[in-house]
Structures are given as structure tokens and as C-alpha cells.
Amino acid sequence: MPVILWTDGLIFLLLFMVIMFVFHVRRHEHLRRPWRTVLRSRVAMASAVILSIYLLIGLLDSLHFHPKLENPKDGVTQYSSQIKSVFDVVVSHLQENDEKTYSAPFAAYQYSKETIEKEDGSTVREYPRLEFGGAHLADPEIEKKSDIIHIILKSSFKSLLVFFLLCLFVLWRIAKNKGWLIRDTLSSIIRGQTEAPWFVILFTLGFSLWFLLTAWDLSHFYHIFGTDKVGQDVFYQAMKSIRTGLIIGTLTTLVMLPFAVLMGISAGYFRGWVDDIIQYIYTTLNSIPGVLLIAASILMLQVYMSNNAEEFTSLAARSDMRLLFLCIILGVTSWTGLCRLLRGETMKLREVDYIQAAQAFGVGNMTIIMRHILPNVMHIILISVVLDFSGLVLAEAVLSYINIGVDPSMNSWGNMINSARMEMAREPIVWWSLVAAFVFMFVLVLAANLFSDAIRDAFDPRLREREE
Amino acid sequence: MTEVLLEISDLKVSFGSTPAVDGIDLVINRGETFVLLGESGCGKSISAMSIMRLLPNSAKIESGKVVLDGEDLLQLPESEMRQIRGGKVGMIFQEPQTSLNPVMTIGDQIAESLSWHKKIKGKTARGRVIELLDSVGITEPDRRYDEYPHQFSGGMKQRVMIAMALAGEPELLIADEPSTALDVTIQAQVLDLLLKLQKERNMAILFITHDLGVAAKMANHVGVMYAGKIVETAPRNQFFKKPKHPYSQKLFDALPSKIKREQEELNQKTDQDKSVLLEVKNLDVHFPIKTGFFKKVTGYVKAVNNISMTLERGQTIAMVGESGSGKTTFGKGVLQLIRPTNGSVLFEGTDLASLSPAELRKRRTDIQIIFQDPYSSMNPRMIVGDIIEEGMIAQKIGKTKKERLKRVEELLEQVGLEKEHRLRYPHEFSGGQRQRICIARALAVDPKLIICDEPTSALDVSVQSQILTLLKDLQNRLGLTYLFITHNLGVVEYIAHKVAVMYQGEIVEYGDVEQVLYHPQHAYTQKLLAAIPVIETGT
């Protein structure tokens, strides 16, 4: 039985809006032009591939449902009260194969010693074998290395095969679209003469494919990023955190945009007392420390949730509400920057001749704003949204670290880093949680930053003029 | 005396694969002025920049020689080139505003150039800078040494730029449209100054301009540039007496003048309704100066002060004045884009100034405006058809989409464009074509009065004459009335019936074209007329 959590609904709404926007852009030549520059950029396309893999995982993780109970009483199908996502089903082996406590990446033995009772009744203190990691090996000491290499080779071969099929498909599509021969298409791709840098795209795709397939195969036999304190697979946690990061990065924007756009444009366009009021609002808001505001509202929400526990049927619903609230409050505190930019730009635009001409025609204010001003400040909105994304992902980590971020029961990179605080202090050190969270976050933020650079280069009129 | 200073031979510069300068040859003698004349985009600035080797990165010098005093500048290493720039060759630009560093005193900026090229520093440098400032006609140079660029007016800044160029005691001065951004009276002063300095220092000048009048005043030799080539080179008198190349002749023909107008007026109908269309009474537009935290009004800028005039149907009245004289503000005040402070604007008997915004909106069809800059007057994100249609939708002209579409197509043809152009974006058109679209947009709502705010001053001469002809033709056909704002008296002679001269927010002289232009009464009008460079074709 499908369940739509608040954030699920909103993220798919956002996706729908993005798709509509894409269709809109495709129909207008002047909107398409800057995007074509983005398409031609090699760095941007490589980052776009990485981003879309993250996005795919995040979206799969946003399709929630109540799983069926296995042995229904009285033959009536019943549903568990637990909420799972499609992604959970895909990687169910990771979720189910828990260990007792910490184990290092690719380990076959637990990370700490335990007292084990032998068959003859005597007890020894040693590192026990893991229930899942490397359980198929008779003697891990000897076999482990060759087993890992064996798996990697096998999955490399598999990914090569898939990659080859993928290449063939792309080749066939381009050749069909352009009416070229397959041979010519191949040579122009390799020499980078196609409009989009297909060589780079395919290469990035192939590499990610290899990584994902290998990790997938290995994770059936090992914990590739180890396990945490309660024996949960860290690789699984890091991947589940993708959704949290994406939601924080995108939904916050959704909350922020109406404020920033509406207020910024009306302040700049109407001037006078409207401008005064809006300016006072954002200077006031700007002078309150953001963290303080966030902490206060999250605490308020917690109190509210514990007073009205009956409204939140499951743990997932609770943590989802908290995530949504975090997005809203982050949005409320972060709209001022964009608002100020838009106000300035609108003030410049309203004096431009074509706006004056529209006024001379007696065109209404709202029409002028929608038709003349909004499309001409769109590039600013787009640039700042894309630039803000990576900042927000990082902000989540910081906020969770000081315990005012997402619900502690929710998987997020911030929570992983937060728990790593204790792990780093222990002896011997447990480093893999921190490293896994860091790597996953780093790749996402780097890709987002590189992509946003390309967007800015393509859309910022000042940068474009310099090129010409 | 005629010793060759600079010789350019077969210079070719290109941007990627498109040639910008396509093999030019020219010779400049010591102490002479060579005027490079041409319209925008013909490659005249690029030619000058390649002498200094200051081309943008995307441009490349393909071939050619630039020999200054026996040295090929294109072969010099960059370090020696730096000594030439500002040393042997000085340069002044069109925009003095952007050429000066706003956070340095002007004295220091000139002294910087001195210390680099002449190795003069400290007290001596100050003395020398003051001398230079004095020689370019800046009064109290000792005090003004320590002032910042924003404390100078446009003309004064250009003088400072000239002083800076002179600091290195150049043998060749490259002046790239140095007077284009200035008002006529200031322009005349700057040009006189250049001529005086040239005589004193026996300096050669390469003068770049698009203005035939300025060329006539400055030149010893004239070179006409067209599409990257110099099509004609001739001594001044010969050129202005009898231009040889067809393109040069076209430039002369394009100049708007009275003679041309008289030829055209022969085939014009005269039976017209001469009732009063617009009557402006004691119009004031004042901008309050607000200071302090509570924005207390401490004074007013009187942009338009007590102006009255009447406009008859089918007439053109020209508002003439220099920048800042309030002529644009007056136009916008009539149009009610800026609500006037006092006075009334009676349009067919209704006072527009006292209408409420909603009532005014309905009357917007009657008065329309055409702007100066054809590049900023259209939304770059709309197609031409939508731009023209906008006013019709707002004023509910044409009930169905189909009807409006038909009208858009008619309008495009009326202004000399094609139907299919409605599907294109503004950036696909040239300046002149864009101005035609703006005219079509204004016509879309059937206005009776059109305010033309310098509609031709951003255009090249040849395009300018086409637009003026179009405007005149439309006036004859549709019985339009124009309020024509301009600073170009040639345009006034060509298009206007009456002239009003504006000075500091007030009309100082008003009357028929003949009377004002040939028998000016007010001292300011006389000064304005005297400042215009005249092309004497006779001598």
C-alpha cells in the first residue's frame, strides 16, 4: 500500500515543475541558447551524470509504501505499519544483514573482542566471525583477498558488457537522429565533434556504472564501508542519506523562492512604502542569527510533536515532518540574499525603455512584472538556486552535528558525522562512518558546484559579454 | 615639412574567421590630422587599437605593417611597446567617465603617466602636471590637482584625458570619437583645444569619428572606411568639395537638411485639420531631494520648470537642448510616465495630469513614445509579434487573436519590414530595423501624438535618414503629430515645423524653424548654433 509522505509529495511536485520548465525552455529559442552552452561543457555534463545518479537513488528512496505482512491472519491481506521505500527493496540485503556491532570495511571478523563459549565449555576472548561479512569463506585469512579480486573482476566484466550495450544504444540513437552512418558517428564521438560531449558523458557513465555494479556485487558478501555501532551497514546508511541531502537542498529552495521572488520584485518595482516595508523585514530577519532561529523552531516543533503524538502514526512520519520543517525554516532564513539581488535588478529594469513603453501602453503592473520583469531576472534566480544547493547540503550536516538538524533516527550525513564524534575518540579508532559520509557528500557537492559554475557561465550576461 | 610619421600598409585584423580590418593602407604626416570616417562596425576603432596593439583577445592581426618613425610596431616586444603607449603615441577615448580611475585624484593619475614615461617624480612632477592641466584649459589647476574624477564634468574629464595623453609628449595622438559623448557646445571647445595643442606641439592626430561636421573641422586628410576597407583617401578640401567614392557620396546625401526637406515638401498635401491637439500649460516637473533618516525633503531639482506650448494636429515640434536640459523629462511628463508636479497637459481638451491612473490607462492609446536606444527598448525575451501586440491587448484593440495578428503584419509592412519578421527575436535585427519595430509598436494603438525621444541619435547617418523619411512619410499618411526631442539641429531642419530651445528646464526660445535657426534671438540659441561644426562644401 503506497504512502505519500509530505516530502515525497513535494519532491515529486518539484520534479514535475522542473519537467514543465524543460518543456517551456525547449519551445523558446532564446531560453534554449544558454542551456546549449551548458550541454556543450564537458565538466557540466560529467557532473550532470553524477547528479542524476544521486537523483535517481533519491527518487527511488522517495517512493514509500507499507509492505505486506508475510503470514496474513484469516487470509486477509494486512499491511505492516512500517514504512519502506522502493530503494529499500532494491538493497534489502544490506538492510537485513546486520551485525552485532562495529566491523571494519571488508572485514570478516568483528572489530572488538568478545568472550565466546566453546563447545567444550571453555571460554576464550577473541574476534568473532561476522554473521554476514565474509561468511561464505572457510578461512578468511587466506581466501579473502582472492575472493574480493574475483568478485571485482566478475562485476567489471559485467559492467563492461552493460556499458558496451549502452554505448551501442547511444550510438544508434545519435546515428538515427542525425542520419549518419554508425561508423562516422563513432569517430565523431571519439574525436569530440558531436554537439554534446558524448565521449565524456559515456566515460563518466561507464565509470559510475562500474562503481555501482562492483559495490553492489561486493555488498552481497561484505560490508564494503563496514558497520556502525549497532551493526548496521554504513554503505546502506550513506546511500539512504542521499535522499535527505537532496530534499534539504531542493525543497528549501521551493520554500524560499516565492518569498524572494515576490518580495524582491515588488520592492524593486513599486518602490516607495512597499520597498520600505520589505527592506525592513529582510534587514531585521538578516540580523537574527540563523542558527538561533532554526534551533528555536525545531525545539518548538519537537514540543508540538510530543504533545500531539497521535497525529504522527509512525516514526517515519515524525522524522519526515521534522525534515520538512527544517526545510521551511532554512528557507525562511535564507531568502533574503536572493531577494536583495532581485530588488536591485528590478530597480534597474524598471527604468529600461521597454518597461516604460509598456507603461505608456497602459499595461497593468502585474502583467508588466510577469511578462517583462520576471523573464529578465530568471537567470539570477536560476544561478542562485543552483549555487545555494550545495551550501544547503552542507548546512544540513552542520545543523545535525549540533543536534538541531534532522531527526536522529533519520539517515543523514550530518547524523553520521555526529555519531562519528564518539567513534573518533575511541581506541582503536572507527573511521569509516565519517569517511563514507564525507565521500558521498563530497562527490555530490563537488558535482553540484561544478555544474552550477557552468550554469553561471552560461547565464550570467556579464560573463557572456566578456566572451563576445 | 611633410615628413611621414606613421605608415600603415596592408593591415589585416580578424575575429576568428570574420575579417574586421581588411587590408588598409594609410599615411599620417607629422603635425597633420588624419580623420578616419566611417559608420559603426566598419573597423575604424579596431584599426586604431591595432596601432597600439591593444586588441581584445579574440582578435588577431593577420598581416601588415604599422611603421612609426621607421619602426614596425607589430614586431616590437611587449616591453618596448609599453614605452610607446602613452609615450610616442597617446590615446583618448570616447567615454572619459570610464577611462579615469574614480578613487585616484586626477593629478596623481597624470603624474603616474609622467613618472612612467618621463621619469619625473615628486615636486617636479606636480609642477609639470599643473602646467599640463593649465595647457588643456582647466582653471585653477593647482587646486583641481587634488580633486577626484566625479568632481569634474564630462567635458572637463575629457580635458583631463587629453592632459594625460600629452604627459608623455606624444608625436601621434589617437583620438577615438573623443567628442561623441559630449554636448555640442562642449564638443566645440574640446575640438578647438585639440587644434590649438596640435599647432603648439606639431603633433599628428589620428582622429576617428562618424560625424562629417567634426571631420570637416579637424581634418587635413580624410579616409573613409567601409566594411574593413578604406574606400577613399583625399585631402580635406577635395573630399568635401567632391567626394569620389559612391559610399562617400551616400554619406553626404544622408545628411538631413533643409534643402532635402524642401524637395520632399513639394509632393505633400496641405489640406489638413489644424486644430489644437495638445496644450501644455505651466508644466512643472520637480524631483524632491530627500536627505536624512526620515527622508525629509530639503529641496527640489527643477527638471522642467513652467513650460507652456501648444501643438497643432499634423505638426512636428522639435525640442532642442543639451543633455540635462530637461527635454526627455518634459516628454515623459506629457506622456504621464512621470506625473507632473504642477500645471496641466490638455490633450483634446482633457487634462491628463488630473486623471486617475485607471482613467489615464484608457487614454494611453492617444500618445505613444519612441525611444533613443533601439537596443534597450524591446524586451529581448519576446518575439517581435508579441512586442507589437502587447499594446493592442492592453488597450483591447482587435477582438480576436487572428485580427490582431493581421494588424501586426500590416504594421510591419507599413514600416518597411516583412510579415515573417514577427516570429523573430529583437536581437536578430540591426539598429535601424529595431527602430522600425519600435515605430510599429507605437503605431499599433493608433496614437494621435508620438513623442520621439532622440529616435535617430543612436543610429548611423545613412540609417538615420531612412528612419526620418519613414517618420515623415507616416506623418503625411496618418496625420500624426510629433513631439520630436533631439540635439541634432540638422534633424530639426529636416523634420520640424516649430522649434523650442530648452535650457536648464525652461524654454528659452520658441518659434518657426526658419526664424529660430537663422535668426536666433536668445544668447543661448546663438551659442548652440555657433558650436555646430559646419560642412562648407564651397571652399
Side-chain angles (χ1 to χ4, degrees):
Chain A
M1 193 170 67
V3 187
I4 298 175
L5 296 174
W6 270 97
T7 49
D8 295 344
L10 288 171
I11 199 99
F12 281 105
L13 177 74
L14 195 67
L15 188 71
F16 175 72
M17 278 160 59
V18 170
I19 290 172
M20 292 307 288
F21 181 68
V22 169
F23 272 106
H24 179 73
V25 167
R26 284 178 68 108
R27 267 184 288 126
H28 292 81
E29 170 55 30
H30 63 93
L31 296 175
R32 226 165 26 189
R33 208 175 322 119
W35 282 107
R36 222 176 278 143
T37 346
V38 177
L39 275 179
R40 281 201 204 104
S41 154
R42 271 176 285 166
V43 178
M45 288 328 282
S47 336
V49 170
I50 305 278
L51 284 178
S52 33
I53 290 169
Y54 270 86
L55 190 69
L56 189 72
I57 295 176
L59 287 178
L60 280 181
D61 205 9
S62 297
L63 293 166
H64 287 101
F65 63 96
H66 287 298
K68 253 184 220 164
L69 280 182
E70 301 232 324
N71 3 307
K73 294 171 201 157
D74 324 323
V76 188
T77 28
Q78 281 192 324
Y79 296 97
S80 149
S81 63
Q82 218 189 352
I83 293 179
K84 278 191 156 192
S85 74
V86 175
F87 181 70
D88 286 332
V89 177
V90 175
V91 294
S92 55
H93 63 281
L94 288 176
Q95 197 192 6
E96 284 153 12
N97 297 319
D98 286 351
E99 305 295 343
K100 236 186 241 158
T101 182
Y102 292 122
S103 68
F106 292 107
Y109 293 98
Q110 205 167 291
Y111 200 57
S112 49
K113 278 187 179 164
E114 233 174 65
T115 315
I116 296 170
E117 199 172 327
K118 289 212 165 174
E119 277 168 24
D120 55 6
S122 63
T123 56
V124 275
R125 265 189 80 74
E126 59 167 20
Y127 297 106
R129 282 292 294 272
L130 293 176
E131 282 171 40
F132 171 74
H136 62 293
L137 302 175
D139 187 353
E141 299 278 327
I142 308 162
E143 296 171 34
K144 198 170 83 179
K145 213 173 247 169
S146 60
D147 183 55
I148 291 173
I149 291 171
H150 183 69
I151 296 173
I152 290 180
L153 280 179
K154 220 165 75 180
S155 55
S156 299
F157 178 73
K158 252 195 283 180
S159 50
L160 212 65
L161 198 75
V162 177
F163 178 62
F164 186 67
L165 287 175
L166 195 84
C167 286
L168 271 185
F169 177 72
V170 168
L171 214 66
W172 173 71
R173 279 303 306 239
I174 296 178
K176 204 180 147 198
N177 267 357
K178 306 249 166 163
W180 293 346
L181 288 176
I182 296 276
R183 193 156 39 100
D184 297 347
T185 319
L186 184 68
S187 70
S188 64
I189 284 179
I190 290 172
R191 270 182 275 142
Q193 287 163 341
T194 45
E195 197 178 14
W198 277 108
F199 189 71
V200 177
I201 297 176
L202 285 174
F203 186 78
T204 320
L205 208 59
F207 184 77
S208 329
L209 206 71
W210 172 81
F211 176 79
L212 285 177
L213 263 178
T214 314
W216 164 267
D217 281 349
L218 282 170
S219 70
H220 277 90
F221 302 100
Y222 298 97
H223 298 290
I224 58 171
F225 276 106
T227 54
D228 72 347
K229 193 174 183 180
V230 291
Q232 236 191 355
D233 191 280
V234 172
F235 182 48
Y236 171 74
Q237 285 180 356
M239 287 209 289
K240 285 287 277 184
S241 304
I242 288 174
R243 174 174 184 266
T244 318
L246 285 179
I247 282 184
I248 295 266
T250 52
L251 282 195
T252 306
T253 318
L254 190 70
V255 174
M256 173 193 83
L257 273 189
F259 281 103
V261 174
L262 207 71
M263 298 247 217
I265 290 182
S266 27
Y269 183 76
F270 293 109
R271 307 297 316 272
W273 60 270
V274 181
D275 189 20
D276 286 346
I277 291 177
I278 292 171
Q279 271 197 72
Y280 281 126
I281 293 177
Y282 72 59
T283 32
T284 311
L285 205 64
N286 243 8
S287 45
I288 304 171
V291 176
L292 193 74
L293 212 62
I294 294 165
S297 32
I298 290 291
L299 290 176
M300 265 158 58
L301 180 78
Q302 268 177 329
V303 172
Y304 174 82
M305 284 202 293
S306 51
N307 287 345
N308 302 276
E310 67 280 1
E311 281 177 37
F312 303 97
T313 46
S314 67
L315 207 62
R318 261 181 87 105
S319 53
D320 181 70
M321 189 42 93
R322 183 159 162 174
L323 177 64
L324 179 64
F325 212 74
L326 186 67
C327 289
I328 292 175
I329 193 69
L330 270 175
V332 169
T333 52
S334 65
W335 60 272
T336 50
L338 179 59
C339 182
R340 205 181 302 214
L341 277 181
L342 289 178
R343 173 175 171 266
E345 187 67 20
T346 310
M347 267 161 68
K348 233 189 314 168
L349 275 179
R350 76 188 287 269
E351 300 299 330
V352 169
D353 289 344
Y354 58 83
I355 309 258
Q356 302 248 313
Q359 281 169 346
F361 278 127
V363 178
N365 287 332
M366 266 304 137
T367 323
I368 290 182
I369 289 180
M370 291 305 291
R371 206 194 295 201
H372 295 293
I373 294 184
L374 192 61
N376 282 297
V377 297
M378 214 55 193
H379 65 279
I380 297 185
I381 300 177
L382 192 75
I383 291 169
S384 81
V385 163
V386 186
L387 279 179
D388 279 354
F389 173 80
S390 50
L392 287 164
V393 174
L394 294 175
E396 186 275 331
V398 173
L399 291 175
S400 299
Y401 184 76
I402 53 174
N403 264 325
I404 52 170
V406 297
D407 199 80
S409 69
M410 188 164 219
N411 286 311
S412 89
W413 293 313
N415 280 338
M416 285 169 77
I417 293 169
N418 187 22
S419 63
R421 190 158 32 165
M422 301 300 291
E423 294 165 1
M424 299 298 282
R426 106 187 248 292
E427 185 63 39
I429 195 170
V430 173
W431 47 268
W432 44 87
S433 276
L434 187 72
V435 169
F438 172 76
V439 168
F440 271 75
M441 200 155 67
F442 174 75
V443 172
L444 175 65
V445 171
L446 184 67
N449 278 343
L450 290 175
F451 189 66
S452 59
D453 270 353
I455 294 263
R456 196 179 41 190
D457 287 350
F459 280 84
D460 199 325
R462 265 169 300 167
L463 293 176
R464 242 184 303 165
E465 271 163 29
R466 212 178 301 154
E467 257 170 46
E468 286 162 8
Chain B
M1 246 324 274
T2 53
E3 188 193 337
V4 174
L5 177 66
L6 179 84
E7 187 172 0
I8 299 179
S9 47
D10 197 36
L11 179 72
K12 280 184 185 169
V13 184
S14 63
F15 285 90
S17 57
T18 45
V21 177
D22 198 7
I24 59 165
D25 303 279
L26 66 87
V27 177
I28 302 177
N29 297 327
R30 268 181 210 280
E32 277 192 2
T33 304
F34 187 94
V35 170
L36 203 52
L37 191 72
E39 303 195 324
S40 56
C42 71
K44 53 192 196 302
S45 287
I46 295 291
S47 312
M49 290 311 239
S50 39
I51 296 174
M52 295 290 256
R53 293 218 334 240
L54 286 173
L55 290 169
N57 285 333
S58 48
K60 211 180 134 230
I61 296 174
E62 301 280 335
S63 66
K65 271 186 185 163
V66 178
V67 182
L68 179 79
D69 241 358
E71 239 179 336
D72 189 356
L73 296 184
L74 300 182
Q75 305 300 330
L76 284 183
E78 184 60 28
S79 56
E80 280 177 47
M81 199 59 216
R82 237 173 284 155
Q83 286 297 332
I84 300 270
R85 288 184 204 127
K88 261 190 177 174
V89 186
M91 190 151 188
I92 46 179
F93 299 91
Q94 178 173 354
E95 269 305 331
Q97 235 88 337
T98 50
S99 312
L100 288 168
N101 183 348
V103 294
M104 253 171 104
T105 65
I106 57 126
D108 286 345
Q109 294 189 45
I110 300 172
E112 200 184 18
S113 168
L114 270 181
S115 77
W116 173 250
H117 291 289
K118 295 282 157 203
K119 311 279 177 265
I120 305 174
K121 284 188 181 122
K123 276 251 168 68
T124 22
R126 191 183 169 100
R128 180 86 186 95
V129 169
I130 290 169
E131 260 172 55
L132 280 169
L133 286 176
D134 192 44
S135 71
V136 294
I138 288 177
T139 48
E140 293 182 77
D142 199 20
R143 183 174 60 83
R144 306 219 76 166
Y145 181 100
D146 297 311
E147 288 186 346
Y148 290 91
H150 71 264
Q151 290 164 298
F152 287 72
S153 67
M156 283 308 209
K157 275 185 212 159
Q158 198 58 285
R159 282 166 192 264
V160 172
M161 285 305 297
I162 294 171
M164 206 185 282
L166 291 181
E169 288 170 13
E171 288 163 32
L172 173 68
L173 182 71
I174 301 177
D176 188 356
E177 306 242 10
S179 60
T180 309
L182 306 173
D183 281 324
V184 249
T185 47
I186 312 288
Q187 164 173 309
Q189 290 166 13
V190 169
L191 295 182
D192 284 337
L193 173 71
L194 279 175
L195 286 174
K196 189 184 116 213
L197 291 169
Q198 180 179 31
K199 228 172 244 164
E200 282 171 13
R201 291 162 185 258
N202 195 28
M203 183 170 65
I205 299 181
L206 174 60
F207 196 97
I208 296 169
T209 187
H210 66 274
D211 191 324
L212 278 169
V214 174
K217 179 165 180 162
M218 297 299 292
N220 295 106
H221 273 82
V222 179
V224 180
M225 223 175 151
Y226 178 66
K229 287 196 174 83
I230 293 186
V231 293
E232 181 174 358
T233 325
R236 178 188 171 278
N237 287 346
Q238 196 186 325
F239 177 76
F240 282 97
K241 207 180 277 172
K242 202 166 190 294
K244 282 203 193 88
H245 195 271
Y247 177 72
S248 320
Q249 287 160 2
K250 214 179 107 200
L251 280 183
F252 278 98
D253 290 343
L255 279 181
S257 69
K258 194 166 157 247
I259 307 159
K260 222 174 122 193
R261 170 178 170 174
E262 277 160 1
Q263 288 168 354
E264 281 169 25
E265 246 163 30
L266 291 176
N267 38 24
Q268 196 194 103
K269 50 186 176 187
T270 43
D271 52 327
Q272 261 184 6
D273 178 12
K274 290 270 175 157
S275 62
V276 172
L277 180 71
L278 177 81
E279 193 177 0
V280 180
K281 278 186 190 159
N282 306 40
L283 190 77
D284 287 346
V285 181
H286 296 174
F287 296 112
I289 304 166
K290 292 173 182 171
T291 46
F293 184 72
F294 292 105
K295 309 226 170 118
K296 216 173 91 187
V297 178
T298 50
Y300 290 95
V301 178
K302 297 183 177 177
V304 170
N305 203 5
N306 196 18
I307 286 188
S308 304
M309 63 159 53
T310 51
L311 204 56
E312 289 164 17
R313 268 174 222 279
Q315 254 195 351
T316 300
I317 200 163
M319 305 287 293
V320 185
E322 304 195 323
S323 55
S325 61
K327 47 192 201 304
T328 296
T329 312
F330 173 72
K332 287 187 177 168
V334 170
L335 191 58
Q336 306 296 315
L337 276 181
I338 301 171
R339 297 310 286 264
T341 320
N342 278 314
S344 52
V345 178
L346 293 167
F347 187 87
E348 292 182 323
T350 338
D351 184 10
L352 298 181
S354 63
L355 290 180
S356 73
E359 285 170 316
L360 185 62
R361 195 158 286 169
K362 285 182 205 145
R363 304 283 322 233
R364 287 282 190 206
T365 56
D366 293 334
I367 313 181
Q368 276 306 313
I369 185 164
I370 301 166
F371 294 95
Q372 171 175 4
D373 184 0
Y375 291 88
S376 69
S377 53
M378 280 183 284
N379 188 342
R381 293 171 192 278
M382 282 164 76
I383 59 169
V384 168
D386 289 344
I387 289 171
I388 298 175
E389 203 185 352
E390 182 169 38
M392 288 193 258
I393 297 173
Q395 293 297 339
K396 303 189 180 60
I397 293 170
K399 287 175 201 77
T400 57
K401 177 93 190 159
K402 221 175 180 178
E403 232 171 280
R404 288 197 298 265
L405 200 78
K406 206 175 142 228
R407 178 141 170 78
V408 168
E409 287 178 347
E410 275 171 18
L411 285 165
L412 280 173
E413 284 180 341
Q414 208 165 22
V415 297
L417 295 171
E418 283 159 35
K419 277 186 204 169
E420 292 72 33
H421 285 162
R422 88 186 156 78
L423 293 174
R424 298 209 195 148
Y425 286 98
H427 70 87
E428 295 170 58
F429 295 93
S430 68
Q433 283 175 316
R434 283 176 192 225
Q435 207 56 291
R436 283 171 195 268
I437 298 169
C438 289
I439 294 171
R441 171 173 67 179
L443 290 178
V445 293
D446 282 324
K448 292 173 185 137
L449 171 67
I450 296 183
I451 296 170
C452 307
D453 188 358
E454 309 235 15
T456 57
S457 52
L459 304 174
D460 283 326
V461 205
S462 54
V463 183
Q464 167 177 323
S465 73
Q466 290 167 13
I467 296 291
L468 288 177
T469 317
L470 173 69
L471 282 172
K472 215 160 182 187
D473 181 48
L474 288 170
Q475 182 167 45
N476 291 340
R477 272 194 292 168
L478 308 173
L480 293 170
T481 310
Y482 293 137
L483 179 67
F484 206 96
I485 297 166
T486 185
H487 65 269
N488 185 337
L489 291 178
V491 173
V492 174
E493 257 182 320
Y494 175 63
I495 203 165
H497 300 94
K498 290 228 165 91
V499 188
V501 181
M502 269 188 94
Y503 181 61
Q504 293 187 344
E506 286 174 46
I507 291 181
V508 293
E509 188 158 358
Y510 175 71
D512 288 334
V513 175
E514 302 264 318
Q515 187 206 327
V516 176
L517 293 192
Y518 297 103
H519 311 287
Q521 301 298 311
H522 195 272
Y524 176 73
T525 319
Q526 288 163 357
K527 201 175 122 201
L528 197 66
L529 285 167
I532 294 166
V534 200
I535 307 162
E536 318 126 48
T537 39
T539 49

